[in-house]
Amino acid sequence: MTADTPQRLPDGRPVPLLTGDELPMLESWLDFHRATLELKCAGLDDQQVRMAAAAPSELTLLGLVQHLAEVERTWFQRVVARLDVPVLFEEETGYALDPARGLQEALEVWRREVARGREVIAGRSLEETGRIADGPMAGAPVSLRWVLLHLVEEYARHNGHADILREHIDGVTGF
């Protein structure tokens, strides 16, 4: 298997590279987790993706999609590319739900941010640094390697939440 011809799991997700250079391997793991998030939402309607799994948490699949769009924008555009771009949704985290915005719109925004992130990192070295945009570490240098590792971790953690949400919604487990 090479970066040019990724293998796919029966559910359509790309199999992360098992060997090769570090950058393509990190990108392949991030793509796997991105595909997992999208798969967790597949076949659900707007009402279902607004369902929280357990009180008092208000976490929803729709909120996760929005949040991860903000994560993509923050780390690739604000941090790596050092661009001053506005937040995508009403609040910085992206978790708040707008009754007028459904899953398809949120997925389109998320897909645009994923595509933009790929553009931002194309041709960059893992050692290249950006600057943390805000918060207690604002201004600290951070490598592209760290950003990619962080995003793999961020998606993996939230895909665990998505597992629980999806099981609560319709009983589907796995993947």
Side-chain angles (χ1 to χ4, degrees):
M1 174 173 59
T2 68
D4 296 335
T5 57
Q7 292 183 355
R8 299 232 169 237
L9 295 170
D11 58 25
R13 290 178 297 165
V15 175
L17 295 175
L18 303 174
T19 61
D21 292 335
E22 187 178 8
L23 179 57
M25 289 185 81
L26 288 169
E27 290 174 311
S28 75
W29 271 104
L30 185 52
D31 285 341
F32 170 80
H33 283 293
R34 288 167 170 157
T36 299
L37 175 68
E38 196 158 5
L39 188 60
K40 294 292 177 185
C41 298
L44 298 177
D45 62 32
D46 285 341
Q47 182 181 4
Q48 290 172 308
V49 296
R50 293 172 180 276
M51 293 175 62
S57 175
E58 295 180 5
L59 186 64
T60 66
L61 283 171
L62 180 56
L64 284 174
V65 170
Q66 294 175 168
H67 171 68
L68 288 162
E70 291 288 2
V71 165
E72 294 268 354
R73 175 170 275 213
T74 293
W75 288 101
F76 291 125
Q77 293 186 59
R78 290 189 186 105
V79 174
V80 174
R82 300 182 190 196
L83 299 173
D84 183 17
V85 293
V87 296
L88 294 164
F89 302 105
E90 295 76 32
E91 51 147 329
E92 195 171 310
T93 66
Y95 288 118
L97 303 183
D98 178 339
R101 184 177 39 256
L103 178 61
Q104 290 313 310
E105 181 182 346
L107 283 170
E108 288 171 16
V109 170
W110 172 75
R111 287 180 191 123
R112 280 195 305 268
E113 292 306 312
V114 167
R116 182 68 181 117
R118 287 184 177 122
E119 291 170 5
V120 165
I121 67 172
R124 292 183 191 255
S125 158
L126 286 172
E127 289 76 30
E128 188 169 329
T129 59
R131 296 251 177 232
I132 294 181
D134 51 27
M137 299 293 292
V142 61
S143 70
L144 177 57
R145 175 182 287 105
W146 189 95
V147 169
L148 289 168
L149 286 166
H150 174 64
L151 262 71
V152 167
E153 174 273 329
E154 180 97 2
Y155 270 92
R157 182 166 37 93
H158 287 313
N159 281 336
H161 299 137
D163 284 337
I164 294 165
L165 287 162
R166 182 65 191 249
E167 184 175 8
H168 177 73
I169 292 165
D170 65 1
V172 172
T173 60
F175 62 83

